[in-house]
Amino acid sequence: MEQEASVVRLVNEILLEAIQTRASDVHIETQSNGLAIRYRIDGILHLQPTPPEINRFQAAIISRLKIMARLNIAEKRLPQDGRIKLRVHGREVDIRLSVIPMIHGEGMVMRILDKSSMVFDLSQLGMSKPIYDTFSEIIKYPHGIVLVTGPTGSGKTTTLYSSLLQIKSPKTKIITTEDPVEYQLDGINQIQVHSKIGLTFAASLRSILRHDPDIVLVGEIRDLETAENAIQASLTGHLVFSTLHTNDAAGAFTRMSDMGVEPFLVAGTVEAVMAQRLLRRLCSKCKEPYTPNRQDAPSDFPWEKLADRPAYRSAGCRECRNVGYTGRMGIYELLVANDGIRQLALERKSSWEIRKEAVKAGMRTLRMDAWDKVVSGDTSIDEVLRVTKGEGL
């Protein structure tokens, strides 16, 4: 009994500390020499110091978490997924849990969704004023496709939710189809995809169109069928939002053509593509000014903008747990389809040609947007180099 109570307490402490340190994920890994616990804070994994005695409770910790997520504790050979709902200091926290059998035992990753700490406000995401103004106009279009691209965990869902909440009104019907529904939004109809029973993105999208929507959000365009249905929806007078996994905004056009969509349909329906990443924000308590060395800085660094002010770098203090950064902000690249870009998409031209045309038309790339954040003292040169790659434009 005493051992059970201590395992329950231990698991609660692991979860509580993760929530207090603003971790987005908790990794519990079974290795040959025992248990390792890592928290992903602001996109970076941090190993947590654990006492050696914790290794005795390895199986008990996993079993306790399985019980909390209502999973089968006897099944140790197959992957399992579950959910845990918690109330911490009056806040509602949702935890998505994934267990996978590894060589030395089961590994577990928990994604923490803290509903109260999420603010879906487009103006607070870190967009520069020109991008914010243009994007705010685009999301009011009567029809067409608006895509948000970037790797997993780059804040695409937050951007889309914020966009929907900005244009939500009693006069418009908004329906979303997501996998999974991460946050429940008032006044927006959300569908949970369930591919095991045939409720895929493509199937749910077909049904949505019989539900008389004005605006549709498709969680992700993964295949030709979903892409074709999204295009069909935009052609029949709906505004469609979706995400796509590409590295930059220009890649979205070639990606959809690669899926098998006719280039003239891509060129005719995609109105804008927003590519984004997340940069860690320097801790305001301990960031220190310095003058960067020209030899060490990358060749595309905008020195002229830094002429009369210092750059900042991370130092580390108690407030930020000696990391030097607290919180994150977005960097954005907004490609608005003009006649030149539509023509290139129609001719199946490469993504770098589309990108060159977009920059000529005034698009600021992710790297340019990131340098602006360095100049304004919000982030460091190291962080920009970690997240973005140099441009050969």
PDB file of all heavy atoms in Angstrom, residues 224 228 255-263 348:
ATOM      1  N   LEU A 224      -4.519  12.853 -52.210  1.00  0.00           N
ATOM      2  CA  LEU A 224      -5.182  13.427 -53.380  1.00  0.00           C
ATOM      3  C   LEU A 224      -6.677  13.633 -53.150  1.00  0.00           C
ATOM      4  O   LEU A 224      -7.234  14.669 -53.499  1.00  0.00           O
ATOM      5  CB  LEU A 224      -4.947  12.511 -54.589  1.00  0.00           C
ATOM      6  CG  LEU A 224      -5.670  12.909 -55.886  1.00  0.00           C
ATOM      7  CD1 LEU A 224      -5.243  14.292 -56.340  1.00  0.00           C
ATOM      8  CD2 LEU A 224      -5.405  11.891 -56.993  1.00  0.00           C
ATOM      9  N   GLU A 228      -8.513  17.144 -53.508  1.00  0.00           N
ATOM     10  CA  GLU A 228      -9.554  17.373 -54.524  1.00  0.00           C
ATOM     11  C   GLU A 228     -10.851  17.865 -53.892  1.00  0.00           C
ATOM     12  O   GLU A 228     -11.517  18.748 -54.419  1.00  0.00           O
ATOM     13  CB  GLU A 228      -9.797  16.091 -55.328  1.00  0.00           C
ATOM     14  CG  GLU A 228      -8.727  15.871 -56.393  1.00  0.00           C
ATOM     15  CD  GLU A 228      -8.922  14.570 -57.154  1.00  0.00           C
ATOM     16  OE1 GLU A 228      -9.607  13.662 -56.620  1.00  0.00           O
ATOM     17  OE2 GLU A 228      -8.407  14.467 -58.279  1.00  0.00           O
ATOM     18  N   ARG A 255       3.771  20.852 -53.960  1.00  0.00           N
ATOM     19  CA  ARG A 255       3.338  19.705 -53.142  1.00  0.00           C
ATOM     20  C   ARG A 255       1.962  19.215 -53.595  1.00  0.00           C
ATOM     21  O   ARG A 255       1.729  18.012 -53.722  1.00  0.00           O
ATOM     22  CB  ARG A 255       3.312  20.128 -51.671  1.00  0.00           C
ATOM     23  CG  ARG A 255       2.822  19.066 -50.706  1.00  0.00           C
ATOM     24  CD  ARG A 255       3.948  18.160 -50.256  1.00  0.00           C
ATOM     25  NE  ARG A 255       3.473  17.114 -49.365  1.00  0.00           N
ATOM     26  CZ  ARG A 255       3.021  15.946 -49.767  1.00  0.00           C
ATOM     27  NH1 ARG A 255       2.981  15.646 -51.056  1.00  0.00           N
ATOM     28  NH2 ARG A 255       2.626  15.040 -48.891  1.00  0.00           N
ATOM     29  N   MET A 256       1.042  20.158 -53.840  1.00  0.00           N
ATOM     30  CA  MET A 256      -0.311  19.753 -54.256  1.00  0.00           C
ATOM     31  C   MET A 256      -0.296  19.163 -55.666  1.00  0.00           C
ATOM     32  O   MET A 256      -1.025  18.218 -55.953  1.00  0.00           O
ATOM     33  CB  MET A 256      -1.279  20.927 -54.149  1.00  0.00           C
ATOM     34  CG  MET A 256      -1.652  21.201 -52.689  1.00  0.00           C
ATOM     35  SD  MET A 256      -2.820  22.523 -52.470  1.00  0.00           S
ATOM     36  CE  MET A 256      -4.357  21.723 -52.870  1.00  0.00           C
ATOM     37  N   SER A 257       0.554  19.713 -56.527  1.00  0.00           N
ATOM     38  CA  SER A 257       0.682  19.143 -57.879  1.00  0.00           C
ATOM     39  C   SER A 257       1.270  17.734 -57.808  1.00  0.00           C
ATOM     40  O   SER A 257       0.850  16.831 -58.532  1.00  0.00           O
ATOM     41  CB  SER A 257       1.571  20.031 -58.754  1.00  0.00           C
ATOM     42  OG  SER A 257       0.963  21.286 -58.923  1.00  0.00           O
ATOM     43  N   ASP A 258       2.231  17.530 -56.896  1.00  0.00           N
ATOM     44  CA  ASP A 258       2.846  16.198 -56.712  1.00  0.00           C
ATOM     45  C   ASP A 258       1.812  15.174 -56.249  1.00  0.00           C
ATOM     46  O   ASP A 258       1.924  13.987 -56.549  1.00  0.00           O
ATOM     47  CB  ASP A 258       3.977  16.253 -55.674  1.00  0.00           C
ATOM     48  CG  ASP A 258       5.200  16.976 -56.202  1.00  0.00           C
ATOM     49  OD1 ASP A 258       5.244  17.182 -57.426  1.00  0.00           O
ATOM     50  OD2 ASP A 258       6.070  17.349 -55.397  1.00  0.00           O
ATOM     51  N   MET A 259       0.839  15.636 -55.460  1.00  0.00           N
ATOM     52  CA  MET A 259      -0.205  14.719 -54.977  1.00  0.00           C
ATOM     53  C   MET A 259      -1.090  14.222 -56.120  1.00  0.00           C
ATOM     54  O   MET A 259      -1.801  13.240 -55.968  1.00  0.00           O
ATOM     55  CB  MET A 259      -1.109  15.448 -53.965  1.00  0.00           C
ATOM     56  CG  MET A 259      -0.537  15.545 -52.580  1.00  0.00           C
ATOM     57  SD  MET A 259      -1.733  16.384 -51.525  1.00  0.00           S
ATOM     58  CE  MET A 259      -0.798  16.585 -50.044  1.00  0.00           C
ATOM     59  N   GLY A 260      -1.060  14.946 -57.236  1.00  0.00           N
ATOM     60  CA  GLY A 260      -1.871  14.535 -58.380  1.00  0.00           C
ATOM     61  C   GLY A 260      -2.986  15.507 -58.726  1.00  0.00           C
ATOM     62  O   GLY A 260      -3.802  15.240 -59.606  1.00  0.00           O
ATOM     63  N   VAL A 261      -3.012  16.654 -58.035  1.00  0.00           N
ATOM     64  CA  VAL A 261      -4.039  17.656 -58.357  1.00  0.00           C
ATOM     65  C   VAL A 261      -3.634  18.366 -59.646  1.00  0.00           C
ATOM     66  O   VAL A 261      -2.456  18.672 -59.851  1.00  0.00           O
ATOM     67  CB  VAL A 261      -4.162  18.705 -57.212  1.00  0.00           C
ATOM     68  CG1 VAL A 261      -5.229  19.734 -57.524  1.00  0.00           C
ATOM     69  CG2 VAL A 261      -4.462  18.021 -55.886  1.00  0.00           C
ATOM     70  N   GLU A 262      -4.599  18.629 -60.505  1.00  0.00           N
ATOM     71  CA  GLU A 262      -4.308  19.329 -61.766  1.00  0.00           C
ATOM     72  C   GLU A 262      -3.745  20.719 -61.466  1.00  0.00           C
ATOM     73  O   GLU A 262      -4.326  21.463 -60.664  1.00  0.00           O
ATOM     74  CB  GLU A 262      -5.596  19.479 -62.593  1.00  0.00           C
ATOM     75  CG  GLU A 262      -6.129  18.176 -63.167  1.00  0.00           C
ATOM     76  CD  GLU A 262      -5.235  17.593 -64.240  1.00  0.00           C
ATOM     77  OE1 GLU A 262      -4.348  18.301 -64.737  1.00  0.00           O
ATOM     78  OE2 GLU A 262      -5.419  16.408 -64.572  1.00  0.00           O
ATOM     79  N   PRO A 263      -2.622  21.101 -62.111  1.00  0.00           N
ATOM     80  CA  PRO A 263      -2.007  22.405 -61.827  1.00  0.00           C
ATOM     81  C   PRO A 263      -2.965  23.591 -62.011  1.00  0.00           C
ATOM     82  O   PRO A 263      -2.900  24.551 -61.264  1.00  0.00           O
ATOM     83  CB  PRO A 263      -0.847  22.484 -62.818  1.00  0.00           C
ATOM     84  CG  PRO A 263      -0.527  21.076 -63.147  1.00  0.00           C
ATOM     85  CD  PRO A 263      -1.812  20.314 -63.074  1.00  0.00           C
ATOM     86  N   ARG A 348       3.665  24.198 -63.802  1.00  0.00           N
ATOM     87  CA  ARG A 348       4.378  23.225 -62.960  1.00  0.00           C
ATOM     88  C   ARG A 348       5.838  23.612 -62.734  1.00  0.00           C
ATOM     89  O   ARG A 348       6.732  22.753 -62.721  1.00  0.00           O
ATOM     90  CB  ARG A 348       4.341  21.818 -63.594  1.00  0.00           C
ATOM     91  CG  ARG A 348       3.076  21.053 -63.336  1.00  0.00           C
ATOM     92  CD  ARG A 348       3.180  19.692 -63.990  1.00  0.00           C
ATOM     93  NE  ARG A 348       2.024  18.859 -63.725  1.00  0.00           N
ATOM     94  CZ  ARG A 348       1.914  18.020 -62.708  1.00  0.00           C
ATOM     95  NH1 ARG A 348       2.902  17.910 -61.850  1.00  0.00           N
ATOM     96  NH2 ARG A 348       0.839  17.285 -62.538  1.00  0.00           N
TER      97      ARG A 348
END
